[in-house]
C-alpha cells in the first residue's frame, strides 16, 4: 500500500494529524476541505491504514460506504481518499512530543528527529489492548500469553501461528474473531471464557465464529491461574458468582499452549497526558467539545483516542468533524462556542462530546452501564424537567448509543448543563 | 578448558565477583545455567541499594550492607548504569513500632552512616504528601539508592567479559569432582576444570555445595511478589518508603524505581519449589492492603505488570561466605536482602578469601574499568536526539512506543549479549510499559531473528522451551491435511 | 405429515439475540413453523439459516515479494456454510506474488462453488520481505 510520500518535511504545517488509521486519514481530508493547505499525517507503522489492515474479516463500512467491506478494504479506501487529496503521509514515523505551542517533535526514517510547527494538531492514535496484567491474572509468566490483537497481527500479516491449542479470555468481538481465525488456520481453540454473564461481542460473531465451529463459550467464567514455566501448559478457569468472585471449588483446568487475552481496549493517550489535557476518567480519553477540541486550544482528537468505538464508521464521522474543526482553526476561522455541558446520568457511563451548542446539530455518543429493554433516553435539565425523551427498544453496554440532537430540541433550553438518563427494564440474562 | 577461578551462578553476586576478579591476571570463568545472566533472583529484585542501617552491625550482612552501599556510586559511574540516591523513609504507623525506629537510628550511629535522622509528621507531610496521615514518625536515610538490578548485572558481566572473563551461559553444572588440586566441572556442553570454584548459585547454592560434598546448609526459597504501576503515578513518592520491618522481611515497600515508575511489594512467602515464580490473588491483596496503609492513593487498577522472585534464604538468615572443608570450594550463599546492596562488597571479600587461600593475585595493567554506557534515547535531550538520529539511522525508528525505545537501542542490546525477548526487554525497557509488549514484541522478535540469524520459531522469551511462534501458517496447513 | 424436528438458531440481526426455532417436517422437507423472532428480518434469517446457510469467507494466502507474508482474501460473495473449512483448506496451497491489486481474482470458482476468491488489498512489490535494516 502506501508508505511515506513527502520527499521532505516542511518546517510548519497547518494541521498535523497523529495517527494514520481511519480517524487520522478522515480528519486530514476534512481539514484540507475546510481550508488547511498543508496537512501532514504521521503514522508509526510501515504503511498507513491503521489496525484495520489486520482486521481481515467483514463488517466494516455499512454506514460510511453503504456496503459491507473487510478491514483492509475500508482502510484502503480512506488511504486512497487521502492520497487523492494530496495529503502528506509519513509512515514509519513517530511523534515523540508535542509542546504547548504545538511544536511537534517528530522522528522519521528520512530526516531523523526534527521539530515541526503545527497550527492545529489532531490526536488520532487509536487504542491499545488491555493486558493480562491489567486483568491481574495470577500465576506463572510463561511465553504464550498474547493479546488477541497481537495474535491477529502475527497470523494475518506475518503468517506465524502463535501455538497449537489456545484458550481465549474475553468474548469481545476481537476474541471471537480470533477464535475463528485460529480455527481456520489449523489451531485448536479449547474455549472462550467470559467473566460476565453475557457475551460481549455481536451475536453475528457468536454464531459465525463460535457456533459454526463448535467452539464452547463459557459465560460467568474466568481464567484464575496461568501454568507453565517456559511456555503456557494449561490455565485454570473457574465460574464466578454474582459479585464476579471466582468459585475455586468449581475450578477446572484447560490444557493449552496459548492464552489469548481479549478484555478490552484503552485509548492510547501518552501524548494527551504529556500535553496535560483534561481527561475523562471513564473513557480514559480527552474531554472534547462538540468541535472535538480538547482542553488545549488548537488540539483536537477523534476516534478511539477519545472513546472506544464499536464501529469504524462512527470513527470516520467523528474524525471528519475533528478534522474540519482543526482545518478551520488552522486558517484562523473562529470555532463557534458550546454553551451546554452534557452529563452522564442514570445508567449512562459516559457521553461524548462533553459539551454541545444549542445552536447546532450534534451526534452524541454514549454507552450504558447495563442491559436494558423498553428504554427511554431522557435529556434532563438541572431543575429535573425532561427536555427531550426518546424511546429505545434496548441498550447494551457493548453497543454504543447514538443520539442525533437537532437545534429544535433545545430551542427553549437556557441552562448550562443537561443530564442524559437511560431508564428501562433490566434485561440481564 | 582450565581456569584459575570458576564462578557458578551469573546473578548480581556472581557477576560482581567476576568483574572484581577480572582486575587480576587470572583465567576466570562464569558459568550460568540460564541463557542470559541475571535471569534468576536478580531479575525480580526490588532494585534498592539499602541505606546501610537496616541490618544489625554484628551480622555479616550488616557489615557488608553498609560497605557495599558506599561502592555503588563509583560502580555506576564506571559501568554506565542508572543509579540514584533517592533516600528512604521507614515509617511507624503504631506506637509499638517507635522502638524500631530507635533501633534503626542506633544502627546508623554505630555504623557511622551520615544523615540518618528522625522525621516528625509535619516534615513527612511536606516532603511526601502522598503518605498516610496516620504515620507517627519516620527515620529518613539519605544513603538509600535505586538501580535497575538487571542493568547493573549486565554491566558487570559485560565489563568482566571486556576484561577477559569467559562467560558461559546456558550451561548448568551437573557434577563437581575434586582431583588433586583441580575441580572438574561437568556440564552438558563442556568439560571445565578450575583451581577454585565459587558457589554463587543463589537458589541452587545448596545443590552445588552438595555436589562438592560440603552440604552444610539448605536454601529455603522465599517468594516475593511485586507489582509495577502505571507511569502516570510517577513521582507519587520521591523516596523509597518502608514500613517498620518484621523479623523475616523488610515488609512491603513503595519503590520509586530508577526509571521513575512506582513499584510496590514484595511479599515474603516461604515456598518449596525453586521454580515457583507465580503471582497470586492473595499476594496482590497482601501488597495492596499493606501499601494503602502507607499511601492511600495507590490502587490495584494501576497495575501494569506483576512478577515474582525467589530470595535464596539460608538457614540462620545470614550470608554464608567463606571457604569450606573442601579446599578450593568457596561458598557465597544465602545472599538474600540486602544482597544487591552488598554485592560489590561481597566481591571484594571473595578476592580476599582467595588471597587467603594463596591464589596469586597480580593486578592487570590493562584492566578496563569503564564500560561505555548504553544509549537510552528517551533520556536524551532533544538536541542530543537530533544529533544521534542524524548520525545513525538506526535511531530513526521507534520499536517500543510506550517506553520510546529505538531500533538502535534494541540492536545495541543484542550486540551486548541479549539473545531472548526478556534480555532485550530488561536491557532496553522495550515491552516493559503499559501495553506490555503488545506492539513491540513482533518487532523485537524480528530484530533478534535477523541479528542472531535465527528462525522466528527459535526466538524465545527467556530460553529453551519459551518459544513464541510455532510455525508458518502455510506449513501448519500443509501438515494438517 | 411426517416427524417434526425443531432446530434452534441465535438471531444475529441485532443485540437482542432472539432465540429462533424452526420446525421442519422431515418427510416433506418443509418448514412448518418459525418461532421466537421479534421482527421480519429475524424470520427471514431463520429460514435462510435453516435452508441454505451462507458465509462470507475471509482468510489469507501466502504472498511473496511483499511487505507482509500474507495477503488477505475473501469470497466474492457468500459461500455455502458447509464449504467454509474446505475452501480454507484449498487455499493452503495457494501462493501468489506481489504486486497484487485489491479485487484481483486469486482463485476462480473455488471448489466449483461458483464463488471466486479475491484479494482485499493492494500489495506492492517489496524488495526485502520484512524490511528490517539491521
Amino acid at each position: 500500500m502506501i508508505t511515506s510520500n513527502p520527499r521532505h518535511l516542511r518546517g510548519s504545517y497547518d494541521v498535523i494529524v497523529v495517527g494514520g488509521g481511519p480517524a487520522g486519514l478522515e480528519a486530514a481530508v476534512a481539514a484540507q476541505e475546510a481550508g488547511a493547505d498543508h496537512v501532514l499525517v504521521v503514522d508509526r507503522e510501515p504503511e498507513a491504514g491503521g489496525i484495520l489492515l489486520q482486521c481481515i474479516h467483514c463488517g466494516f463500512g455499512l454506514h460510511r460506504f453503504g456496503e459491507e467491506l473487510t478491514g483492509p478494504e475500508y482502510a484502503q479506501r480512506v488511504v486512497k481518499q487521502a492520497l487523492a487529496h494530496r495529503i502528506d503521509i509519513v509512515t514509519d514515523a513517530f511523534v515523540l512530543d508535542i509542546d504547548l505551542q504545538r511544536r511537534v517533535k517528530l522522528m522519521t526514517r528520512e530526516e531523523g528527529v526534527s521539530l515541526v510547527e503545527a497550527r492545529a494538531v489532531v490526536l488520532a492514535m487509536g487504542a491499545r489492548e488491555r493486558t493480562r496484567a491489567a486483568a491481574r491474572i495470577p500465576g506463572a509468566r510463561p511465553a504464550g500469553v498474547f493479546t488477541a490483537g497481537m495474535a491477529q497481527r502475527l497470523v494475518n500479516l506475518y503468517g506465524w501461528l502463535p501455538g497449537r491449542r489456545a484458550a481465549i479470555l474475553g468474548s469481545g468481538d476481537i476474541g471471537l474473531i480470533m477464535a475463528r481465525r485460529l480455527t481456520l488456520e489449523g489451531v485448536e481453540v479449547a474455549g472462550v471464557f467470559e467473566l460476565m454473564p453475557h457475551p460481549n461481542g455481536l451475536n453475528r460473531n457468536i454464531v459465525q465464529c463460535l457456533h459454526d465451529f463448535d467452539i464452547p463459550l463459557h459465560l460467568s467464567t474466568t481464567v484464575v491461574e496461568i501454568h507453565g514455566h517456559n511456555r503456557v501448559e494449561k490455565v485454570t478457569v473457574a465460574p464466578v458468582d454474582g459479585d464476579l468472585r471466582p468459585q475455586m471449588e468449581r475450578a477446572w483446568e484447560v490444557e493449552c499452549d496459548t492464552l489469548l487475552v481479549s478484555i478490552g481496549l484503552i485509548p492510547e493517550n501518552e501524548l494527551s497526558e504529556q500535553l496535560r489535557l483534561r481527561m475523562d476518567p471513564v473513557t480514559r480519553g480527552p474531554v472534547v467539545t462538540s468541535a472535538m477540541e480538547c482542553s488545549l486550544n488548537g488540539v483536537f482528537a477523534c476516534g478511539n483516542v477519545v472513546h472506544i468505538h464499536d464501529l469504524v464508521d462512527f470513527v470516520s464521522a467523528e474524525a471528519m468533524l475533528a478534522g474540519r474543526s482543526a482545518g478551520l482553526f488552522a486558517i484562523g476561522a473562529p470555532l463557534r462556542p458550546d454553551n451546554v455541558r452534557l452529563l452522564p446520568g442514570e445508567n449512562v457511563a459516559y457521553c461524548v462530546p462533553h459539551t454541545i451548542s444549542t445552536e447546532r446539530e450534534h451526534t452524541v455518543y454514549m454507552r450504558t452501564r447495563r442491559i436494558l429493554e423498553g428504554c427511554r433516553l431522557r435529556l434532563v435539565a438541572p431543575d429535573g424537567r425532561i427536555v427531550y425523551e426518546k424511546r429505545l427498544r434496548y441498550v447494551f453496554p457493548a453497543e454504543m448509543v447514538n443520539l442525533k440532537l437537532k437545534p429544535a430540541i433545545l430551542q427553549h433550553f437556557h441552562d448550562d448543563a443537561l443530564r442524559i438518563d437511560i431508564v428501562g427494564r433490566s434485561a440481564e440474562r | 578448558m582450565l581456569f584459575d577461578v570458576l564462578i557458578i551462578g551469573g546473578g548480581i553476586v556472581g557477576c560482581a565477583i567476576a568483574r572484581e576478579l577480572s582486575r587480576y591476571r587470572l583465567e576466570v570463568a562464569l558459568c550460568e545455567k540460564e541463557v542470559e545472566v541475571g535471569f534468576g533472583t536478580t531479575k525480580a529484585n526490588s532494585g534498592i541499594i539499602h541505606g546501610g542501617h537496616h541490618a544489625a552491625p554484628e551480622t555479616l550482612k550488616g557489615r557488608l550492607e553498609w560497605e557495599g552501599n558506599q561502592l555503588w556510586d563509583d560502580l555506576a559511574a564506571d559501568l554506565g548504569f542508572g543509579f540514584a540516591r533517592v533516600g528512604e523513609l521507614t515509617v511507624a504507623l503504631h506506637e509499638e513500632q517507635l522502638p524500631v525506629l530507635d533501633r534503626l537510628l542506633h544502627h546508623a550511629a554505630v555504623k557511622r552512616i551520615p544523615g540518618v535522622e528522625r522525621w516528625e509528621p509535619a516534615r513527612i507531610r511536606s516532603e511526601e504528601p502522598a503518605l498516610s496521615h496516620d504515620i507517627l514518625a519516620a527515620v529518613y536515610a539519605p544513603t538509600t539508592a535505586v538501580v535497575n538490578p538487571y542493568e547493573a548485572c549486565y554491566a558487570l558481566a559485560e565489563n568482566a567479559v571486556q576484561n577477559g572473563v569467559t562467560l558461559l551461559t546456558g550451561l548448568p553444572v551437573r557434577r563437581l569432582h575434586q582431583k588433586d588440586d583441580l575441580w572438574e566441572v561437568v556440564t552438558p556442553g563442556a568439560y571445565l576444570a578450575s583451581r577454585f570454584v565459587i558457589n554463587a548459585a543463589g537458589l541452587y547454592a545448596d545443590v552445588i555445595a552438595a555436589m562438592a560434598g560440603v552440604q552444610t546448609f539448605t536454601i529455603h526459597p522465599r517468594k516475593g511478589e511485586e507489582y509495577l504501576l502505571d507511569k502516570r503515578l510517577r513521582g507519587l513518592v520521591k523516596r523509597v518508603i518502608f514500613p517498620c520491618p518484621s523479623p523475616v522481611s523488610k515488609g512491603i515497600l513503595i519503590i520509586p524505581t530508577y526509571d521513575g515508575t512506582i513499584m510496590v511489594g514484595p511479599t515474603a512467602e516461604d515456598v518449596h519449589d525453586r521454580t515457583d515464580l507465580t503471582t497470586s490473588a492473595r499476594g496482590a491483596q497482601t501488597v495492596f492492603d499493606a501499601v494503602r496503609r502507607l499511601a492511600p492513593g495507590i490502587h490495584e487498577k494501576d497495575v501494569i505488570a506483576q512478577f515474582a522472585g525467589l530470595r535464596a534464604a539460608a538457614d540462620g538468615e545470614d550470608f554464608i561466605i567463606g571457604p569450606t572443608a573442601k579446599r578450593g570450594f568457596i561458598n557465597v550463599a544465602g545472599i538474600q536482602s540486602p544482597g544487591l546492596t552488598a554485592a560489590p562488597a561481597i566481591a571484594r571479600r571473595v578476592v580476599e578469601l582467595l588471597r587467603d587461600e594463596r591464589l596469586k593475585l597480580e593486578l592487570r595493567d590493562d584492566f578496563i574499568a569503564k564500560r561505555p554506557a548504553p544509549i537510552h534515547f528517551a533520556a536524551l535531550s532533544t538536541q542530543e536526539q537530533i544529533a544521534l538520529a542524524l548520525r545513525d539511522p538506526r535511531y530513526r525508528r521507534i520499536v517500543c512506543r510506550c517506553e520510546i525505545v529505538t531500533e538502535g537501542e534494541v540492536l545495541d542490546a543484542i550486540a551486548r549479549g541479549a539473545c531472548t525477548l526478556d534480555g532485550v526487554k530488561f536491557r532496553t525497557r522495550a515491552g516493559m510499559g503499559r501495553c506490555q509488549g503488545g506492539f513491540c514484541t513482533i518487532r523485537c522478535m524480528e530484530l533478534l531473528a535477523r541479528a542472531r540469524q535465527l528462525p522466528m520459531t527459535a526466538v524465545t522469551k527467556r530460553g529453551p522451551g519459551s518459544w513464541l511462534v510455532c510455525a508458518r501458517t502455510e506449513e501448519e496447513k500443509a501438515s494438517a491435511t | 405429515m411426517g416427524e417434526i424436528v425443531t432446530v434452534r438458531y441465535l438471531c444475529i440481526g441485532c443485540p437482542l439475540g432472539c432465540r429462533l426455532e424452526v420446525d421442519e417436517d422431515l418427510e416433506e422437507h418443509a418448514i412448518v413453523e418459525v418461532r421466537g423472532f421479534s421482527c421480519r428480518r429475524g424470520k427471514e434469517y431463520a429460514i435462510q439459516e435453516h435452508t441454505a446457510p451462507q458465509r462470507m469467507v475471509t482468510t489469507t494466502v501466502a504472498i511473496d515479494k511483499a511487505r507482509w507474508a500474507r495477503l488477505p482474501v475473501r469470497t466474492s460473495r457468500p459461500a455455502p456454510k458447509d464449504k467454509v473449512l474446505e475452501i480454507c483448506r484449498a487455499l493452503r496451497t495457494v501462493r501468489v506474488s506481489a504486486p497484487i491489486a485489491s479485487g484481483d481474482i486469486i482463485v476462480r470458482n473455488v471448489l466449483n462453488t461458483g464463488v471466486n476468491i479475491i484479494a482485499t488489498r493492494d500489495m506492492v512489490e517489496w524488495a526485502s520481505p520484512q524490511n528490517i535494516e539491521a
Side-chain angles (χ1 to χ4, degrees):
Chain A
M1 209 177 273
I2 91 109
T3 53
S4 300
N5 60 9
R7 199 170 288 272
H8 290 291
L9 290 178
R10 303 171 53 86
S12 73
Y13 282 86
D14 294 321
V15 179
I16 292 182
V17 181
V18 188
L25 295 168
E26 299 266 28
V29 168
Q32 203 210 49
E33 286 178 341
D37 285 332
H38 301 291
V39 181
L40 174 70
V41 175
V42 183
D43 195 81
R44 58 199 162 202
E45 292 299 329
E47 54 181 3
I51 217 75
L52 280 185
L53 292 172
Q54 67 184 56
C55 303
I56 63 163
H57 52 279
C58 301
F60 307 93
L62 271 177
H63 298 262
R64 172 74 176 88
F65 296 109
E67 60 183 303
E68 192 170 328
L69 303 172
T70 63
E73 288 167 326
Y74 193 111
Q76 193 154 326
R77 287 202 188 187
V78 290
V79 170
K80 287 202 164 150
Q81 176 193 253
L83 292 178
H85 280 75
R86 307 170 63 82
I87 303 289
D88 282 357
I89 302 175
V90 58
T91 58
D92 237 333
F94 195 84
V95 172
L96 292 160
D97 191 24
I98 303 172
D99 70 12
L100 296 178
Q101 287 72 49
R102 295 188 294 282
R103 257 186 320 211
V104 177
K105 184 158 84 169
L106 188 63
M107 177 189 278
T108 66
R109 297 296 281 166
E110 294 76 17
E111 303 190 14
V113 178
S114 50
L115 290 168
V116 183
E117 315 260 343
R119 287 173 187 270
V121 168
V122 179
L123 303 176
M125 293 86 77
R128 67 190 141 90
E129 296 177 277
R130 286 186 72 216
T131 64
R132 173 215 171 155
R136 291 192 307 283
I137 306 168
R141 289 168 56 82
V145 182
F146 300 96
T147 58
M150 184 186 156
Q152 188 179 48
R153 193 171 178 77
L154 270 175
V155 173
N156 290 353
L157 298 184
Y158 290 81
W160 288 108
L161 293 182
R164 310 257 181 222
R165 183 173 155 90
I168 299 179
L169 175 63
S171 67
D173 288 314
I174 309 172
L176 300 177
I177 295 278
M178 279 315 292
R180 176 174 62 188
R181 272 308 288 148
L182 292 180
T183 305
L184 292 179
E185 296 292 3
V187 180
E188 192 183 349
V189 177
V192 175
F193 302 91
E194 169 59 52
L195 177 70
M196 303 305 286
H198 48 81
N200 255 321
L202 299 174
N203 287 320
R204 174 160 111 160
N205 288 331
I206 300 286
V207 169
Q208 299 188 352
C209 299
L210 301 186
H211 294 181
D212 278 6
F213 304 98
D214 296 321
I215 298 168
L217 169 63
H218 301 271
L219 297 173
S220 293
T221 306
T222 193
V223 175
V224 291
E225 187 168 1
I226 297 170
H227 305 269
H229 185 64
N230 292 315
R231 176 76 192 193
V232 175
E233 286 164 12
K234 61 186 177 189
V235 295
T236 306
V237 297
V240 296
D241 63 17
D243 298 321
L244 306 182
R245 279 185 309 239
Q247 298 175 281
M248 296 307 291
E249 66 284 358
R250 292 173 57 204
W252 78 96
E253 286 176 349
V254 178
E255 300 278 333
C256 55
D257 62 15
T258 303
L259 175 65
L260 295 197
V261 180
S262 173
I263 50 175
L265 301 173
I266 302 174
E268 180 91 292
N269 272 300
E270 313 277 358
L271 288 172
S272 320
E273 285 169 14
Q274 280 174 29
L275 280 165
R276 291 272 170 196
L277 298 181
R278 196 174 148 217
M279 305 293 281
D280 179 328
V282 178
T283 59
R284 301 180 72 169
V287 169
V288 290
T289 67
S290 64
M292 301 310 290
E293 190 176 25
C294 304
S295 61
L296 195 64
N297 278 351
V299 177
F300 302 81
C302 54
N304 279 350
V305 117
V306 179
H307 59 128
I308 302 302
H309 294 62
D310 27 48
L311 282 180
V312 63
D313 304 69
F314 297 139
V315 168
S316 281
E318 198 178 272
M320 290 177 208
L321 185 59
R324 183 182 137 76
S325 305
L328 290 174
F329 183 94
I331 59 169
L335 292 174
R336 286 178 296 173
D338 289 338
N339 56 355
V340 177
R341 285 180 300 138
L342 289 181
L343 309 172
E346 195 174 340
N347 291 325
V348 178
Y350 73 78
C351 47
V352 167
H354 296 76
T355 58
I356 55 166
S357 158
T358 48
E359 306 292 311
R360 300 190 298 277
E361 187 178 318
H362 303 286
T363 303
V364 178
Y365 300 104
M366 66 199 82
R367 254 178 224 283
T368 59
R369 293 190 187 279
R370 299 161 61 205
I371 301 180
L372 298 168
E373 276 179 343
C375 316
R376 288 187 158 77
L377 184 156
R378 291 180 180 141
L379 299 183
V380 186
D383 59 8
R385 187 171 51 92
I386 294 171
V387 178
Y388 172 73
E389 185 173 273
K390 179 186 173 183
R391 283 166 187 272
L392 299 170
R393 216 170 132 203
Y394 52 81
V395 292
F396 285 78
E399 193 182 37
M400 207 157 73
V401 178
N402 306 354
L403 171 66
K404 275 257 182 318
L405 263 185
K406 292 196 183 331
I409 296 171
L410 300 177
Q411 211 169 6
H412 303 293
F413 181 75
H414 297 294
D415 279 307
D416 76 320
L418 263 179
R419 195 182 75 218
I420 306 181
D421 291 347
I422 297 180
V423 294
R425 292 190 307 278
S426 175
E428 300 280 346
R429 45 182 154 181
Chain B
M1 280 187 279
L2 177 65
F3 298 99
D4 295 308
V5 184
L6 183 140
I7 304 154
I8 302 175
I12 187 77
V13 172
C15 290
I17 295 169
R19 195 260 179 173
E20 196 59 33
L21 286 174
S22 72
R23 296 174 185 275
Y24 302 93
R25 291 179 201 279
L26 297 171
E27 288 299 321
V28 178
L30 177 65
C31 207
E32 165 56 47
K33 70 172 167 45
E34 301 293 330
V35 292
E36 296 198 35
V37 297
F39 266 24
T41 297
T42 300
K43 192 168 77 167
N45 186 286
S46 301
I48 300 167
I49 302 307
H50 289 285
H53 59 312
H54 278 277
E58 62 276 13
T59 59
L60 178 57
K61 64 182 181 186
R63 290 194 298 276
L64 293 175
E65 177 191 27
W66 175 229
E67 198 185 317
N69 176 296
Q70 298 166 85
L71 297 172
W72 278 91
D73 304 76
D74 287 347
L75 211 52
D78 281 350
L79 300 183
F81 59 84
F83 171 80
R85 289 208 184 260
V86 296
E88 70 158 79
L89 282 182
T90 304
V91 303
L93 284 158
H94 307 291
E95 291 283 341
E96 61 268 30
Q97 290 177 333
L98 292 173
V100 177
L101 298 188
D102 293 335
R103 200 175 72 224
L104 292 178
L105 288 166
H106 174 71
H107 289 171
V110 172
K111 295 188 196 171
R112 295 168 192 272
I113 300 168
V116 179
E117 59 188 27
R118 184 183 161 109
W119 282 9
E120 300 306 325
R123 178 80 189 270
I124 299 168
R125 258 177 241 180
S126 75
E127 299 272 359
E128 293 287 356
L131 292 187
S132 161
H133 288 191
D134 297 337
I135 293 170
L136 301 175
V139 166
Y140 166 68
T143 43
T144 301
V146 287
V147 295
N148 288 327
Y150 33 83
E151 243 180 62
C153 191
Y154 294 139
L156 288 162
E158 235 179 82
N159 186 235
V161 170
Q162 262 183 299
N163 286 303
V165 170
T166 304
L167 176 62
L168 303 162
T169 51
L171 210 58
V173 172
R174 295 283 187 234
R175 282 195 305 280
L176 291 169
H177 300 293
Q178 196 175 22
K179 220 180 212 174
D180 305 324
D181 276 350
L182 275 186
W183 284 92
E184 291 178 359
V185 181
V186 182
T187 69
Y191 170 85
L192 310 165
S194 179
R195 293 172 59 203
F196 289 90
V197 169
I198 312 286
N199 174 16
L203 286 164
Y204 296 85
D206 54 349
V207 177
I208 296 293
M211 286 180 196
V214 283
Q215 182 158 30
T216 51
F217 62 90
T218 312
I219 296 293
H220 307 282
R222 188 175 297 145
K223 187 157 79 176
E225 296 182 22
E226 307 255 21
Y227 293 82
L228 205 59
L229 306 182
D230 192 282
K231 67 181 175 193
R232 72 183 188 82
L233 292 177
R234 191 176 284 247
L236 183 83
V237 294
K238 294 191 276 295
R239 299 164 185 80
V240 182
I241 309 299
F242 287 74
C244 277
S246 76
V248 290
S249 154
K250 291 193 168 76
I252 289 164
L253 325 178
I254 307 171
I255 306 156
T257 65
Y258 180 75
D259 302 305
T261 325
I262 299 284
M263 186 161 83
V264 293
T267 54
E269 180 198 356
D270 289 320
V271 295
H272 296 294
D273 182 356
R274 292 169 207 242
T275 63
D276 177 3
L277 295 174
T278 58
T279 56
S280 62
R282 190 164 33 90
Q285 177 142 23
T286 307
V287 167
F288 284 92
D289 285 353
V291 296
R292 260 194 296 273
R293 285 197 286 274
L294 301 177
I298 290 180
H299 199 278
E300 280 180 85
K301 72 175 190 322
D302 289 311
V303 171
I304 61 158
Q306 54 199 3
F307 58 90
L310 294 171
R311 307 169 180 91
D315 322 291
E317 301 290 336
D318 205 351
F319 296 166
I320 298 170
I321 301 175
T324 60
K326 300 276 180 154
R327 186 177 143 68
F329 186 83
I330 293 172
N331 277 326
V332 185
I335 312 297
Q336 54 162 318
S337 179
L340 172 69
T341 310
I346 292 172
R348 288 188 171 193
R349 177 152 301 226
V350 168
V351 172
E352 292 317 308
L353 286 170
L354 288 168
R355 198 191 302 276
D356 293 346
E357 298 285 310
R358 293 193 293 280
L359 176 67
K360 200 167 124 197
L361 295 167
E362 277 176 62
L363 281 171
R364 294 168 44 157
D365 41 23
D366 58 348
F367 176 69
I368 307 160
K370 289 191 189 298
R371 175 194 75 140
I375 289 170
H376 281 290
F377 185 85
L380 301 177
S381 71
T382 299
Q383 286 318 308
E384 288 168 327
Q385 289 176 341
I386 290 171
L388 176 61
L390 198 62
R391 183 165 83 231
D392 187 341
R394 300 177 312 158
Y395 294 90
R396 293 182 192 171
R397 180 186 273 160
I398 296 295
V399 172
C400 166
R401 58 211 215 196
C402 300
E403 299 296 319
I404 315 281
V405 179
T406 56
E407 193 172 278
E409 289 160 273
V410 173
L411 291 170
D412 180 51
I414 296 168
R416 286 169 186 263
C419 58
T420 62
L421 217 46
D422 275 1
V424 167
K425 171 166 123 178
F426 285 104
R427 281 177 179 84
T428 64
R429 299 191 56 74
M432 262 194 203
R434 290 173 166 178
C435 88
Q436 288 287 296
F439 292 111
C440 66
T441 295
I442 304 176
R443 282 194 182 177
C444 288
M445 286 170 67
E446 284 183 320
L447 292 170
L448 271 167
R450 171 165 291 205
R452 297 220 166 251
Q453 300 197 316
L454 297 169
M456 286 283 271
T457 47
V459 175
T460 65
K461 178 171 162 62
R462 64 167 84 94
S466 61
W467 53 274
L468 292 146
V469 295
C470 62
R472 274 279 179 204
T473 38
E474 60 264 33
E475 292 163 5
E476 187 62 12
K477 283 170 163 176
S479 65
T481 26
Chain C
M1 203 161 88
E3 194 192 338
I4 307 283
V5 293
T6 304
V7 187
R8 293 180 174 78
Y9 299 95
L10 173 64
C11 185
I12 65 170
C14 78
L16 279 181
C18 292
R19 305 295 202 262
L20 307 172
E21 291 183 344
V22 177
D23 283 357
E24 183 185 341
D25 183 326
L26 285 183
E27 230 159 81
E28 306 280 322
H29 291 297
I31 291 173
V32 182
E33 192 189 348
V34 179
R35 291 184 300 271
F37 54 87
S38 42
C39 68
R40 183 181 48 82
R41 281 187 309 150
K43 183 175 182 181
E44 285 166 6
Y45 171 75
I47 294 167
Q48 168 80 48
E49 194 69 358
H50 188 77
T51 50
Q54 295 199 316
R55 298 288 184 265
M56 191 71 104
V57 182
T58 54
T59 185
T60 61
V61 297
I63 184 165
D64 292 325
K65 297 188 202 161
R67 172 63 183 84
W68 307 111
R70 307 296 295 184
L71 171 74
V73 297
R74 65 172 169 88
T75 46
S76 50
R77 56 186 169 78
K81 181 188 148 188
D82 57 7
K83 297 276 185 201
V84 171
L85 277 168
E86 239 179 297
I87 289 172
C88 288
R89 208 171 295 146
L91 294 175
R92 284 170 191 178
T93 50
V94 174
R95 186 162 205 110
V96 296
S97 207
I100 293 278
S102 183
D104 281 2
I105 295 175
I106 304 299
V107 179
R108 203 174 288 278
N109 186 18
V110 66
L111 300 176
N112 286 319
T113 51
V115 173
N116 295 334
I117 299 296
I118 60 170
T120 57
R121 62 166 288 179
D122 298 350
M123 201 76 95
V124 296
E125 200 169 333
W126 201 278
S128 140
Q130 302 297 342
N131 183 39
I132 307 162
E133 286 152 42

